[in-house]
Amino acid sequence: MSNAENGQRTLLGFDFGTKSIGIAVGQEITGTARPLVAFKANDGIPDWDLIEQQIKEWQPDLVIVGKPLNMDGTEQDITKRAIKFANRLTGRFNVKTEMHDERLTTKDAKARLFEEGGFKALQKGAIDSASAMVILEGWMESQYGAEL
């Protein structure tokens, strides 16, 4: 039986932004995720070599990319760019990708970081990778609900 059939997949989560892209890793079997790193982006264009290193290291069974939406659920200008980013991950690295609503993930990530380390913990890279973690946790919760 494959990892996917067992609910034991390794997941990578991405918080796409035009200036920074946060990455987190998660495990379905434990229902947990943790922040990894954030990379600078140049108008939404990442250093694909750095992303490739993370994909090679973690060998994810599934990649979850945050889908930026307005609070009313409508798309923003950046939504199409995040979808394009997810499609490029699939094309470049042959990984399966899914999008997940990322509304309020940055707010949640900031609150968690502040709780753990005060204002000193609120650095841009830490916020972006923590947001990616919140995206992964939200995706797992939407898949498995109260099981986690």
Side-chain angles (χ1 to χ4, degrees):
M1 200 177 273
S2 74
N3 283 347
E5 292 168 355
N6 279 337
Q8 297 180 17
R9 295 181 292 185
T10 297
L11 312 169
L12 274 186
F14 286 85
D15 179 31
F16 174 81
T18 58
K19 295 180 181 175
S20 179
I21 298 170
I23 305 175
V25 64
Q27 296 293 326
E28 278 184 315
I29 194 165
T30 61
T32 59
R34 67 180 175 91
L36 290 175
V37 68
F39 298 118
K40 291 196 181 308
N42 183 6
D43 192 28
I45 300 169
D47 181 333
W48 289 107
D49 291 336
L50 295 175
I51 290 177
E52 181 178 22
Q53 288 173 6
Q54 294 297 311
I55 289 175
K56 282 184 175 177
E57 179 176 347
W58 294 102
Q59 299 180 15
D61 299 293
L62 180 63
V63 173
I64 308 300
V65 177
K67 185 175 186 180
L69 297 170
N70 292 313
M71 289 309 292
D72 65 1
T74 58
E75 292 189 355
Q76 325 175 26
D77 291 338
I78 197 167
T79 307
K80 288 179 181 55
R81 295 181 78 178
I83 293 168
K84 185 176 182 180
F85 173 75
N87 290 337
R88 287 196 171 152
L89 287 172
T90 299
R92 281 179 180 258
F93 306 114
N94 195 32
V95 293
K96 184 179 178 204
T97 59
E98 289 186 21
M99 303 293 294
H100 182 72
D101 182 352
E102 68 169 37
R103 283 179 281 185
L104 300 177
T105 56
T106 300
K107 183 178 180 181
D108 187 5
K110 286 180 180 178
R112 290 184 189 196
L113 289 169
F114 182 79
E115 187 176 299
E116 291 172 11
F119 284 110
K120 291 179 183 177
L122 297 178
Q123 297 173 4
K124 180 67 174 144
I127 293 168
D128 292 333
S129 59
S131 293
M133 175 189 72
V134 173
I135 290 166
L136 273 182
E137 290 174 345
W139 181 87
M140 286 187 279
E141 188 173 304
S142 73
Q143 299 297 305
Y144 308 110
E147 294 175 31
L148 296 179

